[in-house]
């Protein structure tokens, strides 16, 4: 199922939990690993914990990038080759960053994106013919100094993910541009995502996506709590915003381990 278009709107008011720059969380992995499913659950959970959060996706996430998405996923650009496709994914990403991501981060909002720059590294890289220096240079130009604060790599054997994606799609609907590639391609994609996670452990957490949905959500929430929320909850406590803090700490439950639940 194609996720809904982003629901980005600048927040009306900011509280202590929003008083600093937001954070960019990206969900990555192959087809059918559960990114879209988890995205909604995580955004809801962040909101329940008192944070402003928006869901977005790539390719897409801004009006201009959504137009490019249609063309990229239709497959009509395949004959142009991987370099041209990589450039167009990058063009969509530039608009997504400028129009949606940066304004939200500046307003203190958590941005949770279904795919981001690691998908270009993995997909366009796995298609084979691109010089890694080209992809690195493109990433530098596209992202500037922006990096995801946390990347959750949902990991699943390629065949299981493809079977889930086929079930989601149903027998009537044709597979999209990349889902239709060979099993070997999807296996190399999985390896590429795991390689990224191994190379950047400070940014990436690998999540076993073969678990039941609720267990996957729990593992993701643990990673977000430990890596991103603990400091913010503590900061709120330090600045004596006890109401918000205790509300957030109890919403975080066990994950806010070590933090006082009652602010008084
Ligand atoms: N943990 C899970 N176990 C079994 N099926 C799942 C799980 N998570 C998601 N699904 C199902 O698998 C299909 C693909 O999930 P989706 O979130 O759309 O994946 P992605 O966005 O990564 O392509 C959907 O039908 C979804 O309901
Ligand atoms: C962001 C991005 C996506 N893609 C591909 C991965 C997916 O096959 C497709 C996005 O389609 P989508 O329907 O969002 O797929 P999924 O549910 O698996 O996330 O675009 C790239 O090849 N490069 C990129 O940089």
């Amino acid at each position: 199922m194609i996720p809904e278009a982003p629901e980005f709107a600048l927040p009306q008011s900011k509280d202590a939990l929003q008083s600093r720059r937001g954070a960019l969380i990206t969900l990555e992995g192959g087809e059918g690993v559960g990114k879209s499913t988890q995205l909604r659950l995580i955004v809801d959970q962040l909101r329940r914990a008192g944070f402003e959060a928006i869901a977005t996706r790539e390719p897409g996430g801004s009006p201009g990038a959504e137009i490019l998405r249609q063309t990229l996923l239709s497959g009509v650009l395949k004959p142009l080759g991987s370099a041209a496709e990589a450039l167009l994914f990058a063009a969509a990403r530039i608009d997504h960053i400028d129009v949606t991501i940066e304004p939200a981060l500046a307003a203190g909002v958590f941005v949770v994106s279904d795919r981001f720059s690691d998908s270009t590294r993995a997909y366009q890289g796995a298609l084979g013919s691109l010089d890694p220096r080209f992809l690195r240079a493109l990433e530098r130009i596209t992202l500037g100094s922006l990096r995801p604060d946390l990347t959750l790599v949902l990991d699943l054997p390629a065949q299981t993910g493809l079977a889930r994606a086929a079930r989601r799609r149903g027998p009537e609907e044709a597979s999209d541009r990349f889902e239709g590639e060979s099993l070997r391609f999807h296996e190399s994609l999985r390896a590429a995502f795991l390689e990224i996670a191994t190379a950047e452990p400070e940014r990436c957490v690998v999540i076993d996506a073969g678990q039941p949905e609720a267990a996957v959500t729990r593992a993701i929430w643990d990673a977000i709590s430990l890596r991103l929320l603990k400091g913010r909850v503590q900061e709120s406590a330090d600045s004596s915003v006890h109401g918000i803090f205790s509300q957030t700490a109890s919403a975080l439950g066990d994950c806010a381990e070590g933090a006082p639940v009652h602010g008084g």
Side-chain angles (χ1 to χ4, degrees), residues 1 3 21 104 119 135 168 191 193:
M1 194 177 88
R21 187 172 161 85
S119 282
L135 285 175
R168 172 193 60 189
F193 280 118

Side-chain angles (χ1 to χ4, degrees), residues 23 63-64 164 200 208 222 236:
R164 279 190 194 172
E200 297 185 48
D208 174 6
D222 282 352
S236 299

